[in-house]
Amino acid sequence: MPAVEAPSGSSPSKSTPTFSPQDVTVLFVLGGPGAGKGTQCANLVRDHGFTHLSAGDLLRAEQDRPGSQFGDLIRNCIRNGEIVPMEVTVRLLENAMDEAITRRQSNTNNNNSSSGDRKSRFLIDGFPRKMDQALRFEEAVCPARLVLFYDCPEAEMERRLLERGKTSGRADDNADSIRKRFRTFVDTSMPVVEYYEAQGRAVRVDATPGPDAVYEDTRAKLASRLGEDF
Ligand code: UDP
Ligand code: MG
């Protein structure tokens, strides 16, 4: 099946989300490029059993998928630090959620494991970066419970990205793309963070210290919002 294809029963203009927040918990994870979203998501997956979906990783996989009609579009957007049209990204996320939920159900059925006792819980990393994505995802896919926002000064993010660029192989970890990504983050993505903060749905974490300290702070803040045994 192509990666960009609707799960059966969904259509772009529907008014009911595909997944109910009663069955599925979604946390959006935001922060500038290099703020440490991916690192902290990996910690939360290890200790708390979330499923991690990185919008950027899904886009890069779609870009490289033979036969994708979106490859060139995605490649250009990523290099220029621009946001890929939301239809593509929302659909990739919805499909990935659908697959993870189906996989979990069949594991539960096959091994009698207890994973079915808890709801499916997703960390959606690097999304939504633009208001239209936020509104569309919550309306059509699933309302989000919280937004984890990793707050980091630009100078520190730049240092981390240039360091990562030595080995990441990412087409956008170079000085020119980094500058464009910062610009998009300030102009387009910060309004999304502010929208959720105004609704009391954002959890702000200072991402300047080292990864362990940031993780401790993340856990403490999530525990106070979601309950100690989140
Ligand atoms: N991107 C996008 N829409 C999204 C998420 C990512 O268009 O919802 C594109 C955008 O060009 C971004 C790039 O993918 O600059 C890399 O995203 P990623 O999340 O991997 O970057 P990071 O936050 O790790 O720097
Ligand atoms: Mg990332």
Side-chain angles (χ1 to χ4, degrees):
M1 172 179 94
V4 179
E5 193 174 87
S8 55
S10 83
S11 79
S13 59
K14 70 191 161 54
S15 56
T16 314
T18 303
F19 307 109
S20 157
Q22 266 145 7
D23 306 323
V24 173
T25 300
V26 166
L27 307 190
F28 291 145
V29 184
L30 295 179
K37 303 179 292 292
T39 302
Q40 299 304 332
C41 285
N43 290 335
L44 289 166
V45 167
R46 182 193 62 214
D47 298 337
H48 295 276
F50 286 92
T51 298
H52 176 216
L53 297 178
S54 156
D57 289 350
L58 289 170
L59 287 166
R60 283 182 283 271
E62 176 65 17
Q63 168 195 294
D64 296 336
R65 186 174 65 83
S68 170
Q69 58 179 304
F70 302 111
D72 290 338
L73 172 73
I74 295 171
R75 195 170 294 104
N76 286 329
C77 285
I78 287 183
R79 190 174 282 282
N80 291 317
E82 289 163 5
I83 313 286
V84 174
M86 65 160 172
E87 287 76 9
V88 176
T89 315
V90 169
R91 184 54 58 76
L92 287 169
L93 285 167
E94 183 175 15
N95 287 348
M97 288 174 71
D98 198 48
E99 277 169 27
I101 289 168
T102 306
R103 204 176 323 121
R104 201 159 174 274
Q105 281 163 350
S106 75
N107 283 347
T108 310
N109 294 342
N110 291 344
N111 353 330
N112 246 344
S113 81
S114 61
S115 68
D117 298 351
R118 280 193 94 162
K119 325 197 260 186
S120 289
R121 303 185 313 151
F122 292 94
L123 296 169
I124 304 212
D125 163 4
F127 177 96
R129 289 163 126 92
K130 191 173 173 182
M131 272 315 297
D132 66 349
Q133 295 178 323
L135 299 175
R136 169 67 68 88
F137 184 94
E138 292 208 274
E139 177 190 285
V141 182
C142 189
R145 175 80 181 271
L146 282 180
V147 175
L148 248 180
F149 170 52
Y150 287 102
D151 192 8
C152 194
E154 242 175 59
E156 174 61 15
M157 295 195 287
E158 183 178 25
R159 194 189 64 72
R160 293 177 188 175
L161 290 172
L162 291 172
E163 189 59 35
R164 181 173 85 182
K166 293 177 186 166
T167 54
S168 70
R170 271 180 56 161
D172 58 351
D173 283 346
N174 60 77
D176 187 44
S177 294
I178 289 169
R179 201 168 23 83
K180 294 174 176 166
R181 289 156 74 194
F182 284 161
R183 172 107 239 150
T184 300
F185 180 70
V186 171
D187 293 347
T188 309
S189 306
M190 272 314 288
V192 177
V193 174
E194 284 153 13
Y195 167 80
Y196 286 108
E197 281 191 323
Q199 293 182 3
R201 275 201 283 165
V203 173
R204 185 184 284 252
V205 175
D206 178 5
T208 324
D212 294 348
V214 173
Y215 186 46
E216 277 320 299
D217 196 19
T218 300
R219 294 233 275 189
K221 286 185 167 140
L222 283 182
S224 81
R225 294 293 290 260
L226 300 175
E228 284 305 319
D229 63 344
F230 77 93

